[in-house]
């Protein structure tokens, strides 16, 4: 009983600490929004403190759920929180099923084996971390044993980086991370370094430049398609861009045309 009481008190303390953290983050956000003009954030910067609020809310939810489990005597991990239904996950995702059986299916009264009468099914979204692999290409050589003149071998496939390290799939990943997810090359290099792959920023930039050269016909085709349209819809978004030589940034523009 004392152990259960101590666990409940510790869970309540964690919940209270999480609540104070959430109040602190919200208070700081209000100060930055409604404080002096010099202290106000740029609208784009509100995403960062809002993410802090969401993290703090998650800590508070977990702490409160732990308190509920302890109070209900479910400290062994059984679910005591409300069930959340966020809709069905997409059908095209592969399913990996696992069945969790009770420790014993024998009737406590001694009647023997119990019969299965149903089941509870839940789906959770899982992720497999990105995995790098090495694509090994072998091109066997064949020669005639009766004469010494005939040798055949398949031609080496064309690559964006001839004789280089990356496959086209890896280059595509680098480009999407750079221009779609706004991950600079130096940050991507750090990500690869965690898996033991040493790539510098200049190398990644060279790969992206080569890919842009080969993708130019597609861009030209899209430009021609847009030019033939009766109407064009355009969106302009500004972004800070490095200005080499000045040590500053200048205003850049992203144009989305449809």
């Amino acid at each position: 009983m004392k152990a259960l009481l101590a666990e409940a008190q510790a869970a309540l303390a964690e919940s209270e600490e999480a609540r104070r953290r959430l109040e602190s983050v919200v208070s700081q956000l209000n100060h930055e929004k409604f404080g002096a003009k010099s202290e106000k954030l740029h609208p784009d910067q509100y995403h960062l403190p809002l993410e802090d609020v969401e993290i703090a809310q998650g800590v508070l939810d977990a702490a409160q759920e732990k308190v509920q489990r302890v109070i209900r005597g479910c400290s062994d991990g059984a679910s005591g929180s409300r069930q959340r239904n966020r809709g069905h996950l997409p059908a095209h995702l592969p399913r990996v099923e696992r069945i969790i059986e009770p420790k014993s299916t024998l009737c406590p009264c001694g009647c023997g084996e119990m019969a299965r009468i149903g089941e509870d099914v839940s789906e959770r979204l899982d992720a497999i971390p990105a995995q790098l692999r090495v694509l090994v290409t072998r091109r066997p050589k064949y020669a005639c044993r009766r004469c010494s003149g005939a040798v055949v071998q398949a031609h080496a496939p064309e690559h964006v980086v001839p004789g280089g390290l990356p496959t086209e799939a890896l280059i595509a990943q680098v480009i999407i991370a750079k221009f779609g997810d706004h991950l600079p090359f130096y940050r991507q290099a750090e990500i690869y370094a965690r898996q033991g792959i040493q790539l510098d920023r200049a190398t990644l930039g060279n790969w992206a430049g080569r890919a842009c050269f080969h993708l130019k016909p597609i861009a030209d085709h899209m430009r021609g398609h847009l030019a033939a349209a009766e109407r064009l819809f355009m969106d302009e978004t500004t972004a800070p861009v490095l200005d080499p030589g000045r040590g500053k940034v200048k205003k850049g523009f992203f144009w989305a045309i449809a």
Side-chain angles (χ1 to χ4, degrees):
M1 186 65 182
K2 290 184 178 180
L4 185 61
L5 179 61
E7 188 175 359
Q9 291 175 341
L12 287 171
E14 293 176 357
S15 177
E16 180 63 21
E17 176 63 28
R19 185 189 62 79
R20 286 197 296 266
R21 168 60 180 162
L22 179 59
E23 290 179 350
S24 174
V25 173
V26 173
S27 175
Q28 181 181 1
L29 180 59
N30 286 332
H31 176 71
E32 291 170 341
K33 183 176 181 180
F34 301 109
K37 185 176 181 180
S38 60
E39 296 177 343
K40 288 188 176 181
L41 292 175
H42 187 276
D44 292 340
Q45 293 177 300
Y46 280 115
H47 294 291
L48 296 178
L50 285 176
E51 289 178 0
D52 288 340
V53 171
E54 291 156 356
I55 292 174
Q57 182 64 55
V59 173
L60 178 59
D61 290 345
Q64 291 177 341
E65 289 167 0
K66 182 178 180 180
V67 171
Q68 293 174 5
R69 288 198 302 270
V70 171
I71 292 176
R72 296 176 184 179
C74 301
S75 58
D76 59 348
S79 176
S81 61
R82 63 185 182 276
Q83 295 296 322
R84 298 180 176 88
N85 183 7
R86 302 188 183 277
H88 295 289
L89 293 172
H92 70 273
L93 295 177
R95 259 65 176 177
V96 178
E97 294 192 0
R98 62 174 183 174
I99 300 176
I100 304 177
E101 296 281 4
K103 293 181 179 179
S104 174
T105 56
L106 295 176
C107 179
C109 301
C111 302
E113 191 75 20
M114 291 187 289
R116 180 172 176 173
I117 60 173
E119 64 180 4
D120 290 334
V121 180
S122 64
E123 290 191 347
R124 297 190 302 159
L125 188 62
D126 194 20
I128 300 175
Q131 183 180 27
L132 296 174
R133 64 180 185 179
V134 178
L135 183 61
V136 180
T137 301
R138 301 182 186 275
R139 295 187 297 124
K141 295 181 180 180
Y142 296 90
C144 179
R145 294 187 180 275
R146 295 178 182 156
C147 63
S148 59
V151 177
V152 295
Q153 183 183 32
H155 292 289
E158 297 287 339
H159 296 304
V160 172
V161 182
L165 181 70
T167 65
E168 283 62 42
L170 179 61
I171 296 176
Q173 171 61 33
V174 170
I175 292 176
I176 292 173
K178 165 67 174 176
F179 298 105
D181 301 331
H182 309 291
L183 268 177
F185 290 138
Y186 76 91
R187 290 183 180 172
Q188 294 191 51
E190 293 172 352
I191 293 173
Y192 289 118
R194 287 202 296 267
Q195 298 199 45
I197 307 297
Q198 301 300 324
L199 298 171
D200 56 41
R201 182 178 59 185
T203 298
L204 296 174
N206 182 270
W207 293 353
R210 289 173 177 268
C212 289
F213 172 80
H214 290 287
L215 291 172
K216 189 175 183 301
I218 298 178
D220 292 341
H221 178 75
M222 294 173 63
R223 185 181 295 108
H225 177 72
L226 291 169
E230 294 183 359
R231 296 181 183 86
L232 289 178
F233 299 89
M234 184 174 297
D235 175 74
E236 171 190 299
T237 301
T238 61
V241 180
L242 293 177
D243 192 3
R246 297 182 56 198
K248 300 180 180 179
V249 296
K250 60 183 179 180
K251 182 185 291 186
F253 296 87
F254 287 107
W255 301 94
I257 308 173

